[in-house]
Amino acid sequence: MAAHRHLTVLTTTDGEEKAKTLAAGAVEARVAACAQISAPVTSVYRWEGAIRTEQEWQILFKTTTARYEDLETYIKEAHDYDTPEIIATPIVAGSDAYLAWLDEETGPAE
């Protein structure tokens, strides 16, 4: 199976402004070409022995595998959760023009 060059990376946060800040910072740092915010979603999870139900905003970043580690580091440093959700999914197909744009936007700063 061929290696995938592009990824979507999902995280969540507990506020719309926090989501906007995380998204803008990743795009500004060029660790993601784009970030889409979906909200609100209801998350049900176990944390510290208790079942919790919370409202969260999802952020879906588009990046390259070459920039993934930098994006993960950015999310961990900028996020206020102890253990932020960071899940990467390969993009198995996409338009050539969009994927070329993704490469260009996550490349080295000019």
Side-chain angles (χ1 to χ4, degrees), residues 12-15 39-45 53-57 81:
T12 57
T13 191
D14 61 0
V41 298
T42 301
S43 296
V44 180
Y45 58 95
T53 302
E54 305 286 343
Q55 189 175 65
E56 294 186 297
W57 280 253
Y81 285 11

Side-chain angles (χ1 to χ4, degrees), residues 15-59:
E16 183 177 6
E17 289 306 313
K18 289 179 184 180
K20 289 178 181 178
T21 299
L22 283 167
V27 173
E28 178 67 30
R30 299 179 72 103
V31 295
C34 173
Q36 295 171 318
I37 300 167
S38 299
V41 298
T42 301
S43 296
V44 180
Y45 58 95
R46 183 183 311 274
W47 183 252
E48 297 178 344
I51 302 296
R52 299 178 186 232
T53 302
E54 305 286 343
Q55 189 175 65
E56 294 186 297
W57 280 253
Q58 291 182 327
I59 310 162

Side-chain angles (χ1 to χ4, degrees), residues 5 9 25 28 31 43 57-58 61 63 79 87-88 93 106:
R5 293 183 30 232
V9 178
E28 178 67 30
V31 295
S43 296
W57 280 253
Q58 291 182 327
F61 300 96
T63 193
H79 211 294
I87 298 173
T106 56

